[in-house]
Amino acid sequence: MQTRSHRTRQALVRAMAELVADGPPADAGLVNVCERAGVSRGALYHHFASTAMLAAAVYEEAHRRIVVLMDEAFSRESAEALRTFLVALGESLRTDPLVRAGMKLAGDGTFRSPRLRDQMLAMLHERLVLSGRRTAFPGEDLADLAVLLAAGVESQGRSDPKWWEGHSVDRLWPVLQALFESGEAAEGRAAGRTGPSVPAPGGSGWPSVR
Protein backbone atom coordinates (compact mmCIF):
# COMPACT_ATOMS: atom_id res chain seq x y z
CA MET A 1 0.00 0.00 0.00
CA GLN A 2 1.31 3.44 -0.91
CA THR A 3 1.98 5.84 1.91
CA ARG A 4 0.49 9.31 1.98
CA SER A 5 3.95 10.75 1.41
CA HIS A 6 4.44 8.59 -1.68
CA ARG A 7 1.04 9.56 -3.06
CA THR A 8 1.87 13.25 -2.54
CA ARG A 9 5.16 12.88 -4.36
CA GLN A 10 3.46 11.10 -7.27
CA ALA A 11 0.80 13.82 -7.43
CA LEU A 12 3.50 16.50 -7.66
CA VAL A 13 5.38 14.67 -10.42
CA ARG A 14 2.15 14.13 -12.32
CA ALA A 15 1.10 17.77 -11.93
CA MET A 16 4.45 19.05 -13.16
CA ALA A 17 4.34 16.65 -16.11
CA GLU A 18 0.85 17.76 -17.14
CA LEU A 19 1.83 21.43 -17.01
CA VAL A 20 5.05 20.96 -18.97
CA ALA A 21 3.70 18.44 -21.50
CA ASP A 22 1.52 20.73 -23.59
CA GLY A 23 2.15 24.22 -22.28
CA PRO A 24 4.90 26.84 -22.07
CA PRO A 25 7.57 26.58 -19.33
CA ALA A 26 6.05 29.56 -17.52
CA ASP A 27 2.97 27.48 -16.70
CA ALA A 28 5.01 25.08 -14.57
CA GLY A 29 5.56 27.48 -11.70
CA LEU A 30 5.24 26.78 -7.99
CA VAL A 31 1.67 28.06 -7.59
CA ASN A 32 0.29 26.17 -10.59
CA VAL A 33 2.02 22.92 -9.65
CA CYS A 34 0.71 23.01 -6.08
CA GLU A 35 -2.78 23.93 -7.22
CA ARG A 36 -2.93 21.12 -9.76
CA ALA A 37 -1.49 18.57 -7.33
CA GLY A 38 -3.80 19.73 -4.55
CA VAL A 39 -0.96 20.21 -2.06
CA SER A 40 0.59 23.06 -0.14
CA ARG A 41 3.90 24.74 -0.88
CA GLY A 42 5.27 23.15 2.25
CA ALA A 43 4.39 19.71 0.92
CA LEU A 44 6.22 20.43 -2.32
CA TYR A 45 9.34 21.61 -0.50
CA HIS A 46 9.18 18.55 1.77
CA HIS A 47 9.79 16.38 -1.31
CA PHE A 48 11.71 18.70 -3.64
CA ALA A 49 14.03 21.60 -2.86
CA SER A 50 12.84 23.47 -5.94
CA THR A 51 10.52 23.17 -8.93
CA ALA A 52 13.62 22.47 -11.03
CA MET A 53 14.29 19.39 -8.94
CA LEU A 54 10.67 18.36 -9.39
CA ALA A 55 11.05 18.77 -13.15
CA ALA A 56 14.24 16.68 -12.95
CA ALA A 57 12.16 13.90 -11.35
CA VAL A 58 9.77 14.10 -14.34
CA TYR A 59 12.76 13.79 -16.68
CA GLU A 60 14.11 10.80 -14.75
CA GLU A 61 10.84 8.87 -14.93
CA ALA A 62 10.31 9.74 -18.62
CA HIS A 63 13.86 8.62 -19.40
CA ARG A 64 13.21 5.30 -17.67
CA ARG A 65 10.05 4.76 -19.70
CA ILE A 66 11.79 5.53 -23.00
CA VAL A 67 14.60 3.10 -22.19
CA VAL A 68 12.04 0.40 -21.40
CA LEU A 69 10.30 1.00 -24.74
CA MET A 70 13.61 0.75 -26.58
CA ASP A 71 14.73 -2.36 -24.70
CA GLU A 72 11.45 -4.10 -25.44
CA ALA A 73 11.49 -3.18 -29.13
CA PHE A 74 15.09 -4.30 -29.66
CA SER A 75 14.98 -7.33 -27.38
CA ARG A 76 14.91 -9.77 -30.29
CA GLU A 77 16.35 -9.98 -33.78
CA SER A 78 13.53 -8.82 -35.98
CA ALA A 79 12.90 -6.65 -39.00
CA GLU A 80 10.11 -5.15 -36.92
CA ALA A 81 12.33 -3.73 -34.16
CA LEU A 82 12.45 -0.17 -35.45
CA ARG A 83 8.77 -0.18 -36.42
CA THR A 84 7.87 -1.53 -32.99
CA PHE A 85 9.81 1.25 -31.28
CA LEU A 86 8.32 4.01 -33.44
CA VAL A 87 4.77 2.76 -32.83
CA ALA A 88 5.39 2.43 -29.07
CA LEU A 89 6.99 5.88 -28.96
CA GLY A 90 3.99 7.44 -30.69
CA GLU A 91 1.55 5.68 -28.37
CA SER A 92 3.45 6.85 -25.29
CA LEU A 93 3.56 10.41 -26.54
CA ARG A 94 -0.15 10.28 -27.33
CA THR A 95 -1.31 8.86 -24.00
CA ASP A 96 1.32 9.74 -21.41
CA PRO A 97 1.86 13.41 -20.46
CA LEU A 98 4.89 12.38 -18.42
CA VAL A 99 6.68 11.17 -21.57
CA ARG A 100 5.60 14.26 -23.53
CA ALA A 101 6.92 16.48 -20.74
CA GLY A 102 10.15 14.55 -20.37
CA MET A 103 10.98 15.08 -24.05
CA LYS A 104 11.15 18.83 -23.40
CA LEU A 105 13.40 18.61 -20.33
CA ALA A 106 17.10 18.21 -19.63
CA GLY A 107 18.38 16.01 -16.85
CA ASP A 108 18.67 18.94 -14.44
CA GLY A 109 15.02 19.86 -14.92
CA THR A 110 15.69 22.83 -17.18
CA PHE A 111 14.65 23.33 -20.79
CA ARG A 112 18.24 23.54 -22.03
CA SER A 113 19.87 21.04 -24.39
CA PRO A 114 20.56 18.20 -24.43
CA ARG A 115 16.95 17.35 -23.69
CA LEU A 116 15.56 13.85 -23.32
CA ARG A 117 14.44 14.08 -26.95
CA ASP A 118 18.07 14.57 -28.02
CA GLN A 119 19.26 11.74 -25.80
CA MET A 120 16.56 9.37 -27.08
CA LEU A 121 17.65 10.00 -30.68
CA ALA A 122 21.30 9.43 -29.74
CA MET A 123 20.42 6.15 -28.02
CA LEU A 124 18.46 4.97 -31.04
CA HIS A 125 21.32 5.87 -33.39
CA GLU A 126 23.80 3.96 -31.21
CA ARG A 127 21.64 0.83 -31.10
CA LEU A 128 21.36 0.71 -34.86
CA VAL A 129 25.03 1.46 -35.56
CA LEU A 130 26.16 -1.25 -33.13
CA SER A 131 24.16 -3.82 -35.04
CA GLY A 132 26.40 -6.47 -36.54
CA ARG A 133 24.35 -7.39 -39.62
CA ARG A 134 25.15 -6.20 -43.15
CA THR A 135 22.52 -4.07 -44.81
CA ALA A 136 21.88 -2.77 -48.30
CA PHE A 137 23.14 0.68 -47.26
CA PRO A 138 25.83 1.88 -44.82
CA GLY A 139 24.76 1.38 -41.21
CA GLU A 140 25.52 5.00 -40.29
CA ASP A 141 23.24 6.24 -43.07
CA LEU A 142 20.37 3.99 -42.01
CA ALA A 143 20.84 4.98 -38.37
CA ASP A 144 20.64 8.63 -39.42
CA LEU A 145 17.43 7.87 -41.32
CA ALA A 146 15.97 6.14 -38.25
CA VAL A 147 16.79 9.21 -36.15
CA LEU A 148 14.96 11.41 -38.66
CA LEU A 149 11.94 9.10 -38.47
CA ALA A 150 11.85 9.15 -34.67
CA ALA A 151 12.37 12.91 -34.55
CA GLY A 152 9.56 13.33 -37.07
CA VAL A 153 7.16 11.17 -35.07
CA GLU A 154 7.89 13.19 -31.93
CA SER A 155 7.75 16.68 -33.44
CA GLN A 156 4.97 16.24 -36.01
CA GLY A 157 2.64 14.75 -33.43
CA ARG A 158 2.74 17.93 -31.37
CA SER A 159 1.01 19.83 -34.16
CA ASP A 160 -0.99 16.90 -35.59
CA PRO A 161 -1.59 14.03 -33.11
CA LYS A 162 -2.38 11.59 -35.91
CA TRP A 163 1.38 11.12 -36.29
CA TRP A 164 1.39 9.53 -32.83
CA GLU A 165 -1.12 6.89 -33.94
CA GLY A 166 0.31 3.51 -34.90
CA HIS A 167 -1.37 3.39 -38.31
CA SER A 168 0.72 6.36 -39.48
CA VAL A 169 3.94 4.38 -38.98
CA ASP A 170 2.36 1.19 -40.33
CA ARG A 171 1.27 2.98 -43.48
CA LEU A 172 4.83 4.05 -44.27
CA TRP A 173 6.65 0.99 -42.98
CA PRO A 174 6.51 -1.20 -46.14
CA VAL A 175 8.38 1.53 -48.01
CA LEU A 176 10.92 2.00 -45.23
CA GLN A 177 11.43 -1.68 -44.57
CA ALA A 178 12.84 -2.19 -48.06
CA LEU A 179 15.71 0.12 -47.07
CA PHE A 180 16.38 -1.71 -43.82
CA GLU A 181 16.45 -5.22 -45.19
CA SER A 182 19.63 -7.31 -45.19
CA GLY A 183 22.46 -6.77 -47.63
CA GLU A 184 22.21 -10.40 -48.69
CA ALA A 185 18.63 -9.89 -49.91
CA ALA A 186 19.59 -6.79 -51.89
CA GLU A 187 22.52 -8.60 -53.47
CA GLY A 188 20.27 -11.51 -54.36
CA ARG A 189 17.88 -9.28 -56.30
CA ALA A 190 20.82 -7.58 -58.06
CA ALA A 191 22.01 -11.01 -59.23
CA GLY A 192 18.60 -11.75 -60.70
CA ARG A 193 17.30 -14.11 -58.04
CA THR A 194 13.62 -13.81 -57.28
CA GLY A 195 12.13 -13.01 -53.92
CA PRO A 196 9.84 -10.56 -52.15
CA SER A 197 10.94 -6.96 -52.34
CA VAL A 198 9.83 -6.38 -48.75
CA PRO A 199 10.70 -8.96 -46.09
CA ALA A 200 7.81 -10.54 -44.24
CA PRO A 201 7.39 -9.53 -40.58
CA GLY A 202 9.82 -11.44 -38.43
CA GLY A 203 12.21 -12.09 -41.32
CA SER A 204 15.77 -10.92 -41.65
CA GLY A 205 16.16 -7.19 -41.49
CA TRP A 206 17.38 -4.54 -39.13
CA PRO A 207 18.50 -6.52 -36.09
CA SER A 208 18.54 -5.76 -32.43
CA VAL A 209 21.65 -5.05 -30.39
CA ARG A 210 23.25 -8.27 -29.24
Side-chain angles (χ1 to χ4, degrees):
M1 180 180 295
Q2 295 180 345
T3 65
R4 179 178 179 181
S5 177
H6 183 70
R7 289 195 300 271
T8 298
R9 189 181 191 281
Q10 284 189 314
L12 286 164
V13 171
R14 180 77 180 183
M16 174 63 82
E18 290 174 349
L19 289 167
V20 170
D22 305 309
D27 285 353
L30 176 66
V31 173
N32 287 346
V33 170
C34 291
E35 181 178 337
R36 180 164 293 223
V39 303
S40 66
R41 296 187 186 189
L44 187 152
Y45 286 126
H46 174 74
H47 292 276
F48 302 99
S50 65
T51 54
M53 290 188 67
L54 173 56
V58 172
Y59 164 91
E60 182 179 353
E61 177 58 22
H63 182 278
R64 185 190 68 80
R65 296 184 187 190
I66 289 296
V67 170
V68 168
L69 291 181
M70 201 171 289
D71 285 345
E72 290 178 349
F74 287 87
S75 62
R76 63 191 185 282
E77 288 199 9
S78 170
E80 297 295 296
L82 177 59
R83 184 198 68 84
T84 299
F85 174 70
L86 293 175
V87 170
L89 173 64
E91 179 66 12
S92 291
L93 289 166
R94 186 177 69 84
T95 62
D96 191 346
L98 196 146
V99 172
R100 288 201 305 280
M103 287 291 168
K104 300 166 71 173
L105 294 169
D108 60 0
T110 67
F111 292 84
R112 296 193 297 266
S113 294
R115 298 171 296 158
L116 176 56
R117 178 182 186 272
D118 307 320
Q119 293 170 334
M120 175 196 72
L121 297 176
M123 287 189 290
L124 179 61
H125 189 277
E126 181 180 17
R127 296 227 181 187
L128 295 172
V129 168
L130 289 178
S131 164
R133 293 283 294 278
R134 285 191 302 123
T135 55
F137 298 93
E140 284 278 356
D141 292 348
L142 290 179
D144 287 345
L145 176 59
V147 166
L148 289 174
L149 294 173
V153 168
E154 193 275 338
S155 62
Q156 288 296 104
R158 291 191 179 274
S159 58
D160 186 353
K162 76 175 184 181
W163 287 102
W164 288 342
E165 298 174 1
H167 64 76
S168 292
V169 172
D170 287 337
R171 177 174 59 85
L172 297 173
W173 185 247
V175 177
L176 299 169
Q177 191 176 20
L179 300 176
F180 285 87
E181 66 184 342
S182 67
E184 291 89 341
E187 290 168 4
R189 287 199 308 279
R193 293 192 291 271
T194 60
S197 59
V198 179
S204 62
W206 196 273
S208 62
V209 174
R210 296 171 181 172

